[in-house]
Amino acid sequence: MLTPSFDSKSKVPLYEQLYRFLRQEIESGGLAADERLPSKRSLAMDARLSVVTVETAYSQLVAEGYIRSENRRGFFVQKAAARPEQSAAVPPQPAPLPEVRQTECRYDFATNAVDAEFFPFSTWAKLTRAVLSRKDSTLLSAAHPQGVPELRQAIVNHLYHFRGIRVQPEQVVVGAGSEYLISLVVQLLGREGSYAVEDPGYPKTEQILSHNGANVLPIPVDQQGLRVDLLEPSGARVVHVTPSHHFPLSLVMPVSRRSALLDWAAEQPDRYIIEDDYDSEFRLSGRPIPALQGMDRQERVIYLNTFTKSLAPSMRISYMVLPPKLARRYQKEFFFYSSTVPSFEQYTLALFMEHGHLERHIWRTRRRYKARRDALLEAAKREGLTEFATFTGGDAGLHLLLQVHRTASEEQLEQAAAEKSIQVYSLSRFYRSGQSSFDEPCFLMGYARLQENNIPDAVHRLVLAWK
Amino acid sequence: MLTPSFDSKSKVPLYEQLYRFLRQEIESGGLAADERLPSKRSLAMDARLSVVTVETAYSQLVAEGYIRSENRRGFFVQKAAARPEQSAAVPPQPAPLPEVRQTECRYDFATNAVDAEFFPFSTWAKLTRAVLSRKDSTLLSAAHPQGVPELRQAIVNHLYHFRGIRVQPEQVVVGAGSEYLISLVVQLLGREGSYAVEDPGYPKTEQILSHNGANVLPIPVDQQGLRVDLLEPSGARVVHVTPSHHFPLSLVMPVSRRSALLDWAAEQPDRYIIEDDYDSEFRLSGRPIPALQGMDRQERVIYLNTFTKSLAPSMRISYMVLPPKLARRYQKEFFFYSSTVPSFEQYTLALFMEHGHLERHIWRTRRRYKARRDALLEAAKREGLTEFATFTGGDAGLHLLLQVHRTASEEQLEQAAAEKSIQVYSLSRFYRSGQSSFDEPCFLMGYARLQENNIPDAVHRLVLAWK
């Protein structure tokens, strides 16, 4: 072995330089398997290093398995330690992956939008500060697997006041978004049988279910919501529904259909209903539609809701309410799962709710969104859009359905709108078949992100595009 | 139908009182299916309410499907709307579920602990404030599905400096904890074939994999880590390993075994290695052990790491590094998944890392943990524990293995320690068989949560318990 020379001025410590040199020698085969290394003392002398430096380098090589130390006999190169030097090798270069693209249109009728200006930043910051200033270990040690008790209690109160349903904190499971909670539901209910989903419906639901190994079964939706009469013959065991505000058709499932759905579930011991109540807080007139969960007497409804809509999409906090029987099973078999939401966020949100900020925030945003919806309907009339198009489903949730009385295809109209810098979303894309059941072109019109003063211009452009 | 009387002084609005009354009448059958309701005008007169009030109540009942309006003929009770009144009914009361229990012992040698006092609260609070004060919509709109670019870049830099591996931000996926990321890996690699895990190993790994529908195969571990020679015959397709610091045996997988592992994966196109690098930052002497990922030339290693250990267990932020090929597939098939970590946290952590706080924090905590480990070893010698017990694996990670030269069973020793108010954790519980492969009782000794000045007392008690 050549005696290496080292640079004592380099930022790389001497032991590190020696370590790298020796590793290189071994990996390249310059030092063969079972070859004996110079004693620490002699190498220190030759290389003008301290014995401690050599010792440190040697013990690192021992730790990584490049050399072994044998009692009184010294250090030897390990077998099979030869390997192409990695730090020198060029790592595989992935093709730069596309970022998520945003629409370039001036006005976007997206349904998953929220308006930043509504978010109570200063309040949230104040509460975050309050939480962090506590500096106690409960903030840092792993949170309760179902979510911190304060937050679960706040959710229970919220559900009672906003949705009129009474549940226990022990039934609540807080999680990092509804998508994550749905995967937990699959783990909890198992992968046997099929999971029925609404067709048309929220495409992610099907994707999440099947990625989690569930067999998905699309069931048609009529004017009353999911066709419960088709559930029995379909052989589905679990069904995912949005009774308070069907996505995308913006329908409310009437009480008779709800009863039929609950009766279907009651017929077999292992049938369950996943009620996704994703934007029930945003019913814009009258009182909120009652949750299906409140009608459940058989412990068959798993209630799912999120703060993504009511606070911000970036706020990955959702929760589910398990029927008592399932909640007990969850505690037995799923308690090893750590809570997926940072405790800071959980405590902050709990305070936010306890102090009534969420309630106020929802009232405020609801009023603002209502103003936007009204502005949209008004402009539609004034600009003459309603002369050849009809809005429906405006009371629940943050989008309407626009039916255009034109013979053109949805693609053509979407394209025409885009040319006027308006992004609209055709209804057909939410159908399994890719073809909406309406005989006229329909579009989902989300208005949450549109500024009131822009709405007339947006509608004017639509009229120009489709006239 | 009796004409109801209403209390205009009640906090419940009049329309709500009327709505509840009518719903009750319908659900109880007092108003039969297809029965006609009084006209708004006449009901308003009889009940001394404004027509608007009646209108509001009627339209709510229509929205919920209790009644229907027929052109010019008025309002009629819907079929199948009768239902036992829910608000009155008693909701099912789940038995209060047990909270996660904490040990009552004075000293706890838990391995999953972290010391709150180390966490830089004020810095974190300052950065959170800075992030929130930006008040821009990027904070609120859904984050990039793989995590915000700033954080992924910070992670790439961190990996280069701390682990000597070079990756691209496009390969990084940020998620709410390693448990969640492992479920993503199963979705990405599929459920065919088996997933090999280390035996002994981290019990959660097996639970998470099987809950996600993967078939789990325990593979024995020897002094060099997972028995790679047993992988081939086992028929496993994927393997989960902790090469930098085996849990619980606290071993480092030598380079020869690493090469063998990579060679095993290279033999078949769909074989993958999940490298769980959970506490590599806490190697207490010498430089960190290189990551297996750095040796991977075949795109077979999925690198997994977390900030749970380096920052706080309540900080649910982990990340994985996908080989370029898998990263591209992830973008094709998994891009619909929302990021599971709140953007506030992601931006805060990104700043925390960019400003070098994480690096400083790791240096500081490592120094402190090292002091605690040394105090433990010192006390062990001074108190005479080392006369009948041996510590191993002290350089990597935050726990040591304690081998007790006694004929007693681990249960007996654990019990004896508990009587002196010391919580220790037997090694056997981490074996599939429930029986450790050592012929002497062994314990995992996590010292992260123990205060230095308490350690002598803790060790003294152990000696008293086991002498």
Side-chain angles (χ1 to χ4, degrees):
Chain A
M1 178 180 85
L2 281 159
T3 304
S5 73
F6 300 104
D7 172 7
S8 54
K9 282 164 204 59
S10 150
K11 290 236 294 313
V12 182
L14 285 166
Y15 89 85
E16 172 87 19
Q17 294 182 45
L18 176 58
Y19 157 83
R20 287 184 190 172
F21 171 83
L22 291 171
R23 196 180 83 178
Q24 162 70 54
E25 284 293 308
I26 294 167
E27 287 177 329
S28 63
L31 281 165
D34 296 323
E35 187 172 338
R36 178 207 228 104
L37 273 75
S39 78
K40 298 180 216 161
R41 208 161 252 73
S42 61
L43 178 55
M45 297 236 298
D46 299 350
R48 293 181 179 60
L49 298 167
S50 78
V51 175
V52 178
T53 304
V54 178
E55 230 158 37
T56 319
Y58 274 19
S59 54
Q60 183 67 32
L61 289 164
V62 169
E64 295 181 18
Y66 285 94
I67 63 175
R68 65 176 183 276
S69 135
E70 292 183 9
N71 267 344
R72 291 196 182 59
R73 302 199 40 243
F75 294 86
F76 297 81
V77 175
Q78 283 285 34
K79 286 184 199 55
R83 190 88 195 163
E85 181 32 291
Q86 35 266 21
S87 35
V90 182
Q93 296 291 332
L97 304 166
E99 300 290 295
V100 227
R101 66 152 177 64
Q102 298 287 348
T103 167
E104 274 74 43
C105 287
R106 179 179 302 194
Y107 305 122
D108 187 346
F109 284 92
T111 56
N112 60 354
V114 69
D115 195 321
E117 80 183 16
F118 293 175
F119 186 78
F121 270 109
S122 47
T123 309
W124 191 265
K126 207 177 82 253
L127 295 175
T128 307
R129 225 168 18 252
V131 166
L132 284 173
S133 64
R134 275 168 31 202
K135 291 187 166 65
D136 62 5
S137 57
T138 59
L139 278 179
L140 297 171
S141 46
H144 185 290
Q146 289 182 221
V148 304
E150 291 85 340
L151 179 57
R152 282 183 286 129
Q153 185 56 57
I155 287 169
V156 166
N157 302 341
H158 175 77
L159 282 175
Y160 181 68
H161 289 114
F162 266 76
R163 312 296 290 122
I165 56 183
R166 299 174 189 164
V167 301
Q168 306 296 316
E170 294 81 5
Q171 295 173 259
V172 177
V173 178
V174 173
S178 303
E179 304 170 3
Y180 169 72
L181 290 175
I182 289 177
S183 78
L184 280 186
V185 170
V186 173
Q187 296 177 41
L188 192 58
L189 300 185
R191 296 174 176 81
E192 309 73 40
S194 300
Y195 283 61
V197 297
E198 296 165 322
D199 181 18
Y202 195 50
K204 271 191 186 184
T205 309
E206 173 168 359
Q207 289 173 292
I208 296 162
L209 287 169
S210 42
H211 271 76
N212 281 279
N215 174 33
V216 181
L217 206 60
I219 301 286
V221 169
D222 65 16
Q223 284 308 305
Q224 304 212 322
L226 183 117
R227 290 276 307 276
V228 173
D229 57 314
L230 299 179
L231 273 180
E232 189 63 55
S234 78
R237 187 172 62 86
V238 183
V239 57
H240 177 282
V241 284
T242 54
S244 301
H245 179 214
H246 176 269
F247 186 92
L249 296 182
S250 201
L251 307 163
V252 174
M253 183 183 278
V255 64
S256 52
R257 184 68 61 94
R258 290 166 183 240
S259 305
L261 187 55
L262 289 167
D263 295 343
W264 165 83
E267 271 165 32
Q268 297 290 338
D270 60 347
R271 284 183 180 171
Y272 285 99
I273 301 163
I274 305 168
E275 174 180 26
D276 196 334
D277 206 28
Y278 68 106
D279 71 352
S280 53
E281 287 93 351
F282 291 106
R283 181 163 173 77
L284 300 183
S285 67
R287 61 201 289 288
I289 301 294
L292 185 62
Q293 200 273 358
M295 295 172 70
D296 180 22
R297 294 279 160 279
Q298 312 277 339
E299 301 203 15
R300 298 318 183 86
V301 174
I302 295 170
Y303 176 91
L304 199 63
N305 206 342
T306 178
F307 294 101
T308 302
K309 282 263 173 194
S310 46
L311 272 174
S314 66
M315 191 80 54
R316 303 314 297 173
I317 311 185
S318 298
Y319 59 92
M320 61 179 172
V321 178
L322 296 172
K325 217 186 301 113
L326 278 185
R328 281 188 289 274
R329 253 200 60 220
Y330 187 88
Q331 286 240 341
K332 266 209 212 65
E333 301 164 26
F334 290 75
F335 229 44
F336 67 88
Y337 273 127
S338 313
S339 172
T340 44
V341 181
S343 301
F344 296 171
E345 237 80 14
Q346 292 195 53
Y347 284 111
T348 306
L349 180 56
L351 281 181
F352 190 78
M353 294 172 83
E354 286 161 14
H355 296 179
H357 293 300
L358 179 64
E359 200 171 338
R360 276 191 291 281
H361 177 66
I362 290 174
W363 288 120
R364 202 178 306 119
T365 46
R366 189 192 284 154
R367 207 171 53 244
R368 288 169 166 181
Y369 286 135
K370 188 173 187 307
R372 292 182 178 188
R373 182 203 59 177
D374 297 346
L376 177 58
L377 296 176
E378 226 176 81
K381 187 171 265 125
R382 204 174 45 249
E383 299 290 335
L385 179 59
T386 48
E387 286 161 22
F388 59 91
T390 314
F391 281 103
T392 55
D395 282 345
L398 297 179
H399 72 270
L400 302 90
L401 194 64
L402 181 62
Q403 188 164 358
V404 186
H405 315 309
R406 287 266 184 274
T407 48
S409 75
E410 287 179 347
E411 294 63 35
Q412 291 166 326
L413 294 178
E414 212 171 304
Q415 185 48 40
E419 279 157 18
K420 294 268 178 282
S421 198
I422 304 285
Q423 177 73 58
V424 291
Y425 299 84
S426 73
L427 177 60
S428 293
R429 74 181 64 187
F430 298 101
Y431 281 78
R432 233 322 179 70
S433 64
Q435 184 47 57
S436 114
S437 59
F438 291 70
D439 40 21
E440 289 183 315
C442 294
F443 298 91
L444 261 62
M445 307 295 280
Y447 47 80
R449 195 156 54 179
L450 289 181
Q451 303 291 332
E452 253 149 283
N453 52 350
N454 291 333
I455 288 173
D457 182 31
V459 173
H460 180 69
R461 288 159 176 267
L462 262 187
V463 174
L464 289 181
W466 292 348
K467 198 103 193 183
Chain B
M1 176 181 86
L2 280 162
T3 304
S5 73
F6 301 105
D7 172 8
S8 53
K9 283 165 204 55
S10 149
K11 291 236 298 309
V12 183
L14 285 165
Y15 90 85
E16 172 88 21
Q17 292 182 47
L18 176 59
Y19 157 83
R20 286 185 191 171
F21 171 82
L22 292 170
R23 196 180 84 176
Q24 160 72 50
E25 284 294 309
I26 294 166
E27 288 177 329
S28 64
L31 281 165
D34 296 323
E35 187 172 341
R36 179 208 228 104
L37 273 74
S39 78
K40 299 179 217 158
R41 208 161 251 76
S42 61
L43 178 55
M45 297 239 296
D46 300 349
R48 294 185 179 58
L49 298 167
S50 79
V51 174
V52 178
T53 304
V54 179
E55 231 158 36
T56 319
Y58 275 17
S59 53
Q60 183 68 30
L61 290 164
V62 170
E64 295 181 20
Y66 285 94
I67 63 175
R68 66 179 183 276
S69 136
E70 293 183 7
N71 266 345
R72 292 198 180 63
R73 299 195 48 241
F75 295 85
F76 295 82
V77 176
Q78 282 286 35
K79 286 183 200 55
R83 190 89 195 163
E85 178 37 288
Q86 33 265 20
S87 33
V90 184
Q93 297 289 333
L97 304 166
E99 300 290 296
V100 231
R101 65 153 179 62
Q102 300 285 349
T103 166
E104 274 74 43
C105 286
R106 179 178 301 195
Y107 304 122
D108 187 347
F109 283 92
T111 55
N112 60 353
V114 70
D115 194 322
E117 82 183 14
F118 292 174
F119 185 78
F121 270 110
S122 48
T123 307
W124 191 264
K126 207 178 81 252
L127 295 174
T128 307
R129 234 178 357 264
V131 166
L132 284 172
S133 65
R134 275 169 28 202
K135 291 189 169 61
D136 61 5
S137 57
T138 59
L139 279 179
L140 296 170
S141 46
H144 186 289
Q146 287 181 224
V148 303
E150 291 85 341
L151 179 55
R152 282 182 288 130
Q153 185 57 57
I155 287 169
V156 165
N157 301 341
H158 175 76
L159 282 175
Y160 180 67
H161 290 113
F162 267 74
R163 312 296 289 119
I165 56 183
R166 299 173 188 167
V167 301
Q168 305 297 315
E170 294 80 5
Q171 295 173 259
V172 177
V173 177
V174 174
S178 305
E179 302 170 6
Y180 169 72
L181 289 176
I182 288 177
S183 79
L184 279 186
V185 170
V186 173
Q187 295 177 41
L188 192 57
L189 301 185
R191 298 175 175 82
E192 309 72 42
S194 301
Y195 283 62
V197 297
E198 297 166 322
D199 181 17
Y202 193 51
K204 271 190 186 185
T205 308
E206 174 168 358
Q207 289 173 292
I208 296 162
L209 286 169
S210 43
H211 271 76
N212 281 279
N215 174 32
V216 180
L217 207 60
I219 301 285
V221 168
D222 65 16
Q223 284 308 306
Q224 304 212 321
L226 183 116
R227 289 276 306 276
V228 174
D229 57 314
L230 298 179
L231 272 181
E232 188 64 53
S234 79
R237 186 173 62 87
V238 183
V239 59
H240 178 282
V241 285
T242 54
S244 300
H245 179 214
H246 176 269
F247 186 91
L249 295 181
S250 202
L251 307 163
V252 173
M253 184 184 279
V255 64
S256 53
R257 183 69 61 96
R258 290 167 183 241
S259 306
L261 186 56
L262 289 167
D263 295 343
W264 165 83
E267 271 165 31
Q268 297 290 337
D270 61 347
R271 284 182 180 173
Y272 285 97
I273 301 164
I274 305 168
E275 174 180 27
D276 196 336
D277 206 28
Y278 68 106
D279 71 352
S280 53
E281 288 92 350
F282 290 106
R283 180 161 173 79
L284 299 183
S285 67
R287 60 200 291 289
I289 301 293
L292 184 63
Q293 200 274 357
M295 295 172 70
D296 180 23
R297 293 281 159 277
Q298 312 276 342
E299 302 202 17
R300 298 321 182 87
V301 174
I302 296 170
Y303 177 89
L304 198 63
N305 206 342
T306 178
F307 294 101
T308 303
K309 281 266 175 194
S310 47
L311 272 174
S314 67
M315 190 82 52
R316 303 313 300 171
I317 310 184
S318 297
Y319 59 93
M320 61 178 173
V321 178
L322 297 172
K325 217 185 300 113
L326 278 185
R328 280 187 290 274
R329 252 198 62 220
Y330 186 88
Q331 287 241 343
K332 268 209 209 66
E333 300 164 26
F334 290 75
F335 228 46
F336 67 88
Y337 273 126
S338 312
S339 171
T340 45
V341 182
S343 300
F344 296 170
E345 237 82 11
Q346 292 195 52
Y347 284 111
T348 306
L349 180 54
L351 281 182
F352 191 78
M353 294 172 82
E354 286 162 15
H355 296 182
H357 294 300
L358 180 64
E359 202 172 334
R360 277 192 291 280
H361 177 65
I362 289 174
W363 290 120
R364 202 178 306 118
T365 46
R366 188 192 283 153
R367 206 170 54 244
R368 289 170 167 180
Y369 286 135
K370 188 172 187 309
R372 292 181 179 189
R373 182 204 60 179
D374 297 345
L376 177 58
L377 296 176
E378 224 177 83
K381 186 172 265 120
R382 203 174 45 251
E383 299 290 335
L385 179 60
T386 48
E387 286 162 24
F388 60 91
T390 314
F391 281 104
T392 56
D395 282 345
L398 297 178
H399 71 270
L400 300 92
L401 194 64
L402 181 62
Q403 187 163 1
V404 186
H405 315 310
R406 286 266 183 275
T407 48
S409 76
E410 288 180 346
E411 295 62 35
Q412 291 166 326
L413 294 177
E414 209 171 308
Q415 185 47 42
E419 279 156 18
K420 294 268 178 279
S421 198
I422 304 284
Q423 177 72 56
V424 291
Y425 298 85
S426 73
L427 178 59
S428 292
R429 73 181 65 188
F430 298 102
Y431 282 78
R432 232 323 179 69
S433 64
Q435 185 47 57
S436 116
S437 59
F438 292 68
D439 41 21
E440 289 183 316
C442 294
F443 298 92
L444 261 62
M445 307 293 280
Y447 48 83
R449 197 157 51 180
L450 289 182
Q451 303 292 331
E452 251 152 283
N453 51 351
N454 291 333
I455 288 174
D457 182 31
V459 173
H460 180 70
R461 288 159 176 266
L462 262 187
V463 173
L464 290 181
W466 292 347
K467 199 111 196 178

